[in-house]
Amino acid sequence: MGVTMNPCNSSLSRPPGQWTTRAQRGLVQARAFKLNFSTGGNAKVGALAVTEEPKTQVPVRIERSFAPGEKPRLVILGTGWASARLAQDLDMSKYHLTVISPRNHMVFTPLLASTTVGTLDFRSVTVSMRNIQPGLNQAKNSYYQAKALEVNPEEQVVLCKSRDGRKFEVGYDELAICTGAQGSTFGIPGVEKYALPLRDVNDADAIRSKLIKNICDAQIPGIAESEKRKKLQFVVVGGGPTGVEFSGELSNLVKEDLMKMAPGVSSSIQITIIEARDILGSFNPDLRLYAENILNKSGVQIVKAMVKEVTSTSVVLSDGSELDYGLLVWSTGVGPTPFINSLPFAKARDGRLEVDEFMRVKDEDGNKFQNIFSLGDCSCIISNPLPTTAQVAEQQGKWLSKHLNSLGADEEAFQYKHLGQMSAMTTGSAVTDIGGGPKSDSPQLSLSGFFSW
């Protein structure tokens, strides 16, 4: 019986009899079948019947190489900043490439806040991985819309699960784990159930839909003033760049659009940032003060407090006071995902994968894997911990592509160069730090106002 594979991956259509390695023999089958001779019902005696086995019997295995002399296969898990830069710069004449992620695009996260209020369309902040690396459209290269479940370093395979629940395994010669992090809730009750994160296009879409719903509901005739004000209480927990930029976008929406289209609604909107410390804590102190003044003038209230609990209607602060909300956005920091927690590799104190200066992961005994790398928010260089930012991930992706393109000949370790950071507030106002950064000898240039914007 022949095996018909997906035409999108025609390079994988080799008949089972031609597989030569132990991992290849007998494992390339979309489904297993039983052959029975039926003797009952309307079937003729001895008729051949085909009974489908449960899908969970044996996952399909897609191999990393087909014959001696073939190019090695690089498998990238994730489609974030590190993944995109690695895929973009990879020399496709030296590698086959497989990208695995539930998301088929990279998101330009600095502009994500602008999509929540309609300043930008969602398509303006996304780029398809197939556009980033056109080689994915060629034979023997693939993108799979699936989640990675497990990594088996002994057999060099990744177990994956598609959106419809089908499991399959992908072999690799080189593996780059770039699956990012998830928003940290710090174990605070109610956060996962009631708060909305802002890390992806789907998150931005959910926030935008909630904003539109609350603004429309607030204009229904007969609505009580107390209920109206509650629906128009927009609370942001976290005073980092994401929280500040989202609050600034909300302020622009009120001043530039709603005051003209719905003045009765705009006058009732209250925007609040809850932050335990200073907002924009990684910026120059003068820039933090400037940002705080700009936000206050724009009608954004800043509350210095810690959140104790989140209910369906209010945020409970550490002093026992409560702050009602109609929309709650959670933007406080990041932590490891369940996938990263499950991997059989060494972890840093914060739960990220421990890597050396060549981005190589280690087993739980501290032994390095020469062909497994981890980049971006899910990794931590123990000798030089770096912040979980886009520019760190992007530089790591650039470095690893250069390292792989040299086929290991380039022995220069990764060195991070801090280019600066920026956060926009309202129209015409932003703060920027250029240069400097952790362990940097270069001077830092700080800018604010219209020129920085």
Side-chain angles (χ1 to χ4, degrees):
M1 182 183 296
V3 177
T4 302
M5 303 299 288
N6 189 323
C8 294
N9 299 309
S10 58
S11 62
L12 307 177
S13 59
R14 181 172 297 203
Q18 296 183 22
W19 297 87
T20 57
T21 67
R22 177 184 63 83
Q24 292 167 340
R25 288 195 300 269
L27 290 173
V28 179
Q29 48 184 358
R31 290 192 178 103
F33 293 92
K34 282 183 179 177
L35 300 181
N36 297 321
F37 285 95
S38 176
T39 58
N42 297 323
K44 296 179 180 180
V45 176
L48 188 65
V50 180
T51 303
E52 186 175 343
E53 288 287 346
K55 295 178 182 177
T56 56
Q57 184 187 13
V58 179
V60 179
R61 177 166 294 185
I62 302 170
E63 291 309 317
R64 57 187 180 275
S65 58
F66 298 107
E70 279 275 5
K71 294 185 292 186
R73 179 167 297 278
L74 169 66
V75 173
I76 301 176
L77 306 182
T79 51
W81 284 88
S83 308
R85 187 58 190 261
L86 171 57
Q88 180 185 42
D89 290 358
L90 187 69
D91 186 346
M92 298 302 291
S93 69
K94 297 178 179 178
Y95 289 92
H96 295 312
L97 175 63
T98 297
V99 177
I100 302 169
S101 175
R103 191 181 73 186
N104 66 356
H105 56 271
M106 175 259 191
V107 178
F108 193 78
T109 46
L111 295 178
L112 197 57
S114 299
T115 66
T116 61
V117 297
T119 303
L120 293 175
D121 185 78
F122 297 122
R123 292 173 296 178
S124 301
V125 300
T126 61
V127 184
S128 167
M129 288 298 291
R130 294 185 183 276
N131 289 335
I132 291 173
Q133 177 46 266
L136 285 171
N137 300 313
Q138 300 173 359
K140 298 187 180 182
N141 302 316
S142 306
Y143 161 74
Y144 297 118
Q145 191 168 40
K147 285 185 177 181
L149 300 180
E150 300 174 8
V151 174
N152 186 334
E154 294 181 357
E155 294 196 20
Q156 293 189 194
V157 295
V158 180
L159 176 64
C160 307
K161 185 178 181 180
S162 65
R163 291 189 300 175
D164 61 0
R166 297 176 186 271
K167 291 185 179 180
F168 60 96
E169 293 178 330
V170 177
Y172 63 85
D173 294 296
E174 308 282 350
L175 176 65
I177 303 172
C178 319
T179 51
Q182 64 181 8
S184 179
T185 65
F186 304 102
I188 298 173
V191 174
E192 290 187 8
K193 186 175 182 180
Y194 300 114
L196 297 176
L198 181 53
R199 295 184 56 80
D200 204 344
V201 169
N202 291 333
D203 300 333
D205 189 29
I207 292 171
R208 184 172 177 173
S209 297
K210 183 66 173 176
L211 275 173
I212 293 172
K213 180 181 182 300
N214 284 16
I215 291 171
C216 290
D217 288 349
Q219 299 179 71
I220 298 298
I223 186 173
E225 185 63 26
S226 59
E227 184 180 358
K228 175 181 176 181
R229 289 188 176 278
K230 182 177 178 180
K231 285 184 176 293
L232 299 177
Q233 291 278 341
F234 303 144
V235 177
V236 181
V237 179
T242 300
V244 167
E245 289 177 358
F246 174 64
S247 300
E249 291 287 354
L250 281 178
S251 177
N252 287 341
L253 175 68
V254 174
K255 294 187 302 179
E256 299 174 6
D257 297 305
L258 292 181
M259 285 186 68
K260 302 173 184 177
M261 297 185 296
V265 169
S266 64
S267 61
S268 300
I269 290 178
Q270 176 61 57
I271 305 168
T272 303
I273 296 177
I274 301 175
E275 170 57 54
R277 302 180 179 86
D278 292 334
I279 63 170
L280 300 178
S282 61
F283 282 73
N284 181 296
D286 291 337
L287 296 185
R288 294 181 221 159
L289 182 60
Y290 172 84
E292 187 172 340
N293 290 335
I294 289 294
L295 291 172
N296 284 332
K297 291 178 181 178
S298 301
V300 178
Q301 180 183 8
I302 300 175
V303 176
K304 288 191 177 183
M306 296 181 66
V307 176
K308 179 180 179 181
E309 182 183 359
V310 175
T311 71
S312 60
T313 58
S314 65
V315 178
V316 183
L317 304 180
S318 54
D319 62 1
S321 61
E322 296 188 23
L323 187 64
D324 290 338
Y325 69 85
L327 168 68
L328 176 61
V329 174
W330 194 268
S331 176
T332 58
V334 296
T337 63
F339 170 67
I340 293 298
N341 286 331
S342 72
L343 294 178
F345 304 133
K347 310 291 197 310
R349 288 185 178 181
D350 59 4
R352 292 187 288 169
L353 295 180
E354 180 180 328
V355 298
D356 65 4
E357 65 275 14
F358 290 90
M359 312 311 298
R360 297 174 296 199
V361 305
K362 308 172 184 178
D363 65 16
E364 293 173 335
D365 294 326
N367 302 309
K368 300 173 184 176
F369 291 97
Q370 298 300 319
N371 65 335
I372 304 179
F373 306 88
S374 183
L375 318 176
D377 292 356
C378 64
S379 68
C380 178
I381 302 175
I382 294 300
S383 60
N384 183 26
L386 296 170
T388 52
T389 62
Q391 66 173 310
V392 171
E394 191 269 346
Q395 289 184 34
Q396 289 175 343
K398 180 180 180 180
W399 176 88
L400 184 56
S401 65
K402 180 182 177 183
H403 178 75
L404 292 177
N405 289 342
S406 72
L407 300 177
D410 184 359
E411 291 297 328
E412 184 179 352
F414 171 73
Q415 293 288 333
Y416 171 63
K417 181 179 180 181
H418 187 70
L419 302 178
Q421 54 188 341
M422 173 185 175
S423 181
M425 279 83 68
T426 57
T427 300
S429 298
V431 291
T432 303
D433 275 334
I434 301 176
K439 299 184 179 180
S440 173
D441 296 328
S442 62
Q444 185 179 72
L445 175 64
S446 297
L447 304 172
S448 62
F450 181 81
F451 182 75
S452 179
W453 182 77

